[in-house]
Amino acid sequence: KDRNPSPLNQLDMLMEDTYTQVMDIGGTVEQLQHHLRAAANDLSCTTRLILLLIQLRPDICLGDEDAAMLAHFLSPIVVDNESQGWEETTDAALTHLLKTSLAKTAKDSVIVHQPLVMPKDTSRLKKHIQIVCDRLKKGASLTGKPSRSGERDEGKEEGKAPSGPTEASGGRGEEKGEEKGS
């Protein structure tokens, strides 16, 4: 409505530069989010591989239920947000596991809740994964049920046949020397 508007004093150039900077920052944020999703995917795949290797290790012998329980504590599901990341939650979960199901003594099972803080490096997390593997290797169970190693060794001593009904006897428990129906 003003017939002679006052000069904008280069305000149009300032607006144009601001718009360009905002668009550049938006593009950078999109690239960084893409890199973060790729890193989360790599971490998820690596964690699944670690879980599979732990399950397949012959000296650990995890049952299916124990393997599923371990996957809950060493989760391959990577959800990263501003307040807490995968490293903090996984380290807290493994610490809880070591103080409950895998505790060596009742003294070790004292649970002290600590706040989740961003770790400086991953050495503590690596140490907790190693301790969990060591305790599982010693025969500890996450579910309280016996591990598969006990099932494997049953009746397989050298020179002994497994006890109980066999497939050849039709599951009736008959020995080789016994006759049917006398």
Side-chain angles (χ1 to χ4, degrees):
K1 294 185 179 188
D2 208 3
R3 289 187 181 214
N4 294 331
S6 59
L8 297 176
N9 295 332
Q10 307 295 327
L11 189 60
D12 57 338
M13 285 180 52
L14 179 63
M15 293 291 278
E16 198 172 294
D17 287 345
T18 303
Y19 174 77
T20 304
Q21 288 176 355
V22 167
M23 293 304 290
D24 289 344
I25 290 172
T28 303
V29 167
E30 283 182 6
Q31 284 181 332
L32 292 174
Q33 286 176 340
H34 175 73
H35 289 302
L36 182 62
R37 281 191 301 273
N41 188 35
D42 291 347
L43 178 61
S44 178
C45 292
T46 303
T47 305
R48 286 185 193 276
L49 183 60
I50 288 171
L51 288 168
L52 181 64
L53 290 172
I54 290 172
Q55 189 175 7
L56 294 176
R57 260 182 84 169
D59 57 343
I60 289 184
C61 301
L62 277 182
D64 291 338
E65 289 181 29
D66 281 340
M69 182 72 74
L70 182 60
H72 289 293
F73 288 97
L74 183 59
S75 178
I77 300 169
V78 179
V79 178
D80 213 13
N81 57 39
E82 292 178 20
S83 63
Q84 61 191 18
W86 179 87
E87 293 87 355
E88 296 94 69
T89 55
T90 302
D91 187 49
L94 290 175
T95 301
H96 178 76
L97 181 65
L98 289 169
K99 291 188 179 279
T100 55
S101 299
L102 297 179
K104 284 184 176 179
T105 64
K107 179 185 171 193
D108 292 339
S109 64
V110 175
I111 298 175
V112 178
H113 297 286
Q114 296 178 354
L116 298 178
V117 293
M118 177 70 114
K120 294 176 183 150
D121 59 8
T122 59
S123 61
R124 183 175 171 192
L125 179 62
K126 289 178 189 177
K127 179 181 168 189
H128 284 158
I129 292 171
Q130 182 64 43
I131 293 170
V132 166
C133 289
D134 289 343
R135 293 199 183 157
L136 290 173
K137 184 178 176 182
K138 291 178 183 175
S141 174
L142 301 176
T143 58
K145 296 180 181 177
S147 66
R148 283 189 333 206
S149 62
E151 296 168 6
R152 282 186 189 165
D153 297 337
E154 196 174 290
K156 291 190 179 180
E157 294 177 30
E158 287 197 37
K160 283 190 171 182
S163 60
T166 61
E167 215 174 285
S169 66
R172 293 182 298 269
E174 298 170 3
E175 295 294 322
K176 288 182 180 178
E178 291 181 21
E179 291 183 26
K180 295 182 191 176
S182 342

